[in-house]
Amino acid sequence: MIEFAINGQTYRMGKLDAMRQFHLSRRIAPIIPTLIPVFVKLSKDGGLNQDLGGFASVLGPFAEGLSQMSDEVGEYIIGACLSVVQRQAGPNWTAVWNAQAKGCMFDDMDLGIIMQVVMRVVQDSLGPFIS
């Protein structure tokens, strides 16, 4: 499990199994060319907060790709990625995603946080495949 922090909260992510990686890669394939510059920027600069101007230039095409996605595909990607993530709550770890309710378990996880978590899972699960 890989641990990381966003906005003072500690998360850990597991791995998607091979079949979920396959289904995720199929759904994300149309935006893979726009993801590569984002991954390169993340790995060079260490995060979204380091160079906002630089990220704006690589996120434009990515945002356009996202806008072309159907709701069903977008929801699958978010649900699949968040299904392998837990958040530390005191001494315990709690799943961030409720698959049955198709919803986040933490009210303070807004879209900005969710997308950062999703990007980490995508990068970890599909990074070797994309490269």
Side-chain angles (χ1 to χ4, degrees), residues 92-104:
N92 301 316
W93 290 92
T94 303
V96 300
W97 189 251
N98 181 325
Q100 290 178 330
K102 295 185 180 180
C104 190

Side-chain angles (χ1 to χ4, degrees), residues 46-104:
L48 293 174
N49 299 328
Q50 302 300 319
D51 175 15
L52 294 179
F55 275 109
S57 66
V58 297
L59 289 178
F62 175 65
E64 179 66 28
L66 285 178
S67 73
Q68 303 297 318
M69 237 180 236
S70 71
D71 290 350
E72 178 185 331
V73 168
E75 289 170 12
Y76 177 86
I77 291 169
I78 289 172
C81 290
L82 293 183
S83 73
V84 297
V85 177
Q86 298 175 332
R87 184 165 114 174
Q88 192 169 23
N92 301 316
W93 290 92
T94 303
V96 300
W97 189 251
N98 181 325
Q100 290 178 330
K102 295 185 180 180
C104 190

Side-chain angles (χ1 to χ4, degrees), residues 13-26:
M13 67 179 167
K15 286 272 190 194
L16 291 170
D17 64 50
M19 288 307 287
R20 291 186 79 189
Q21 287 180 11
F22 170 70
H23 293 303
L24 179 64
S25 68
R26 287 185 317 116

